[in-house]
Amino acid sequence: MSVDEIGTQWQADEPGWDVDPDDESGVAVVAAVGRQLRAWREAAGLTAAEFGTRLGYGENLIYKVEGGRRIPRPEFLDKADEVCGAGGKVAAMKQDLAEVRYPKKVRDLAKLEARAVELAAYGSHNLHGLLQTEEYARALIGTRRPVLSADELERAVAARVARHSIFERVPAPELSFVQEESSLRRPVGGVEVWRRQLDNLLRLAELPFVDIQVMPTYRWDHPGTGGRIQVLKFADGTAVGRADDEFAGRPIAHPKQLRIVELRFGIIRARALTPEESLAFIKQVRGET
């Protein structure tokens, strides 16, 4: 069974996400939504089994959602609203769950990206998450070991795709990516997925606020061999950065530390192909597939 087939099967049986017990704020929100759902169900005079039947889900899932042990999907709340005759009050809880459906560390990253006016990122082995198509992300995350459960995989992919809203912001942030040549040539997910991923890079590279540069494999003399680098700058003049092999890989905000990370990224960017050369290179790789 393929990763996609597993994901489809899981969606039919368990439409939702597990609650992260370490995410205190998320646990509280999910529990509150669960209590409201139970109140609406009981007000409609339905047992959990009857409610599940009308929604098209099992009784066990109803108990999990009402008990705050499962984060329901948006379509679950839409159906529940209709069955309970809630007039949109149950469906409105989708907004409460919009953030907590994703792991806390991903929510924290998404919040930083949402505030950033500039983003600079260097990727070595894989394409940056903001550049990935959904199917590429699914295939890539599916290579993790130990293997993620279908629930974990679906949640991770949804969280990554949700971050793509950065491309729709107004005013748009300045986004600069440098990718190793190898990350473009690895056919993650198979040839067709790889081709569509390359097409997506070409589309994003045409956006006026996006620069995508390629670091050719023959460029050995650049300070990026230690892994990924990312710097986010905000409108108030503050910034945060991270490098895999500096400061224990932790996010840093001190000016002296940021200077080191920014210096390294600057050299990497200078030694990569220009955006125009990189666009031509990506088109060449796409033509070879």
Side-chain angles (χ1 to χ4, degrees), residues 15 28 53 59 107 145 177 197 207 288:
T53 298
E59 180 182 8
R107 298 203 310 267
R145 293 297 182 273
F177 303 92
Q197 175 60 68
L207 296 175
E288 294 172 356

Side-chain angles (χ1 to χ4, degrees), residues 35-57 59 62-63 66 76 79-86 90:
R35 289 192 296 270
Q36 288 293 316
L37 277 169
R38 181 176 179 179
W40 278 102
R41 171 180 64 78
E42 292 177 344
L46 299 171
T47 66
E50 292 169 337
F51 192 45
T53 298
R54 294 199 185 186
L55 294 180
Y57 304 127
E59 180 182 8
I62 302 302
Y63 283 127
E66 293 183 351
F76 180 103
K79 291 179 182 178
D81 190 279
E82 182 179 346
V83 169
C84 294
V90 170

Side-chain angles (χ1 to χ4, degrees), residues 9-264:
Q9 181 186 52
W10 172 81
Q11 289 180 41
D13 297 338
E14 289 286 332
W17 291 268
D18 283 333
V19 179
D20 182 356
D22 296 325
D23 182 3
E24 294 182 3
S25 61
V27 168
V29 170
V30 176
V33 169
R35 289 192 296 270
Q36 288 293 316
L37 277 169
R38 181 176 179 179
W40 278 102
R41 171 180 64 78
E42 292 177 344
L46 299 171
T47 66
E50 292 169 337
F51 192 45
T53 298
R54 294 199 185 186
L55 294 180
Y57 304 127
E59 180 182 8
N60 186 48
L61 176 63
I62 302 302
Y63 283 127
K64 285 182 179 179
V65 170
E66 293 183 351
R69 300 190 304 277
R70 194 79 175 170
I71 305 173
R73 288 175 175 269
E75 57 267 28
F76 180 103
L77 295 176
D78 286 334
K79 291 179 182 178
D81 190 279
E82 182 179 346
V83 169
C84 294
K89 294 183 176 65
V90 170
M93 291 189 287
K94 291 186 291 187
Q95 184 174 352
D96 298 315
L97 296 173
E99 287 192 7
V100 300
R101 62 188 290 194
Y102 307 128
K104 186 176 184 301
K105 65 179 181 180
V106 177
R107 298 203 310 267
D108 292 343
L109 174 59
K111 287 178 180 178
L112 289 175
E113 289 176 345
R115 287 178 50 217
V117 294
E118 292 182 42
L119 180 151
Y122 163 70
S124 51
H125 298 297
N126 303 314
L127 294 174
H128 191 280
L130 293 177
L131 301 176
Q132 296 174 15
T133 64
E134 181 173 349
E135 58 183 353
Y136 179 97
R138 183 181 301 280
L140 182 64
I141 296 171
T143 65
R144 292 180 183 174
R145 293 297 182 273
V147 176
L148 298 180
S149 68
D151 183 6
E152 293 168 329
L153 176 62
E154 183 70 15
R155 194 179 189 194
V157 172
R160 184 160 298 181
V161 172
R163 290 166 50 206
H164 294 176
S165 61
I166 193 172
F167 295 106
E168 301 168 3
R169 278 176 45 195
V170 178
E174 291 296 322
L175 307 178
S176 177
F177 303 92
V178 180
Q179 289 290 155
E180 283 289 340
E181 176 184 341
S182 60
S183 68
L184 302 177
R185 293 191 177 279
R186 183 170 292 113
V188 173
V191 174
E192 291 304 319
V193 172
W194 178 32
R195 286 173 177 166
R196 287 190 287 271
Q197 175 60 68
L198 291 171
D199 289 338
N200 188 59
L201 290 180
L202 293 173
R203 179 183 66 82
L204 293 176
E206 295 290 351
L207 296 175
F209 56 92
V210 176
D211 278 341
I212 298 178
Q213 294 178 250
V214 176
M215 178 64 75
T217 301
Y218 63 78
R219 284 270 208 271
W220 63 269
D221 57 339
H222 72 89
T225 54
R228 299 167 299 173
I229 295 173
Q230 181 155 306
V231 178
L232 297 168
K233 296 184 179 181
F234 310 109
D236 61 2
T238 61
V240 63
R242 196 186 74 81
D244 281 350
D245 64 343
E246 285 284 357
F247 314 112
R250 297 189 302 270
I252 50 98
H254 192 283
K256 289 184 178 179
Q257 295 175 326
L258 280 170
R259 179 181 173 278
I260 294 173
V261 175
E262 289 187 87
L263 173 65
R264 291 177 62 183

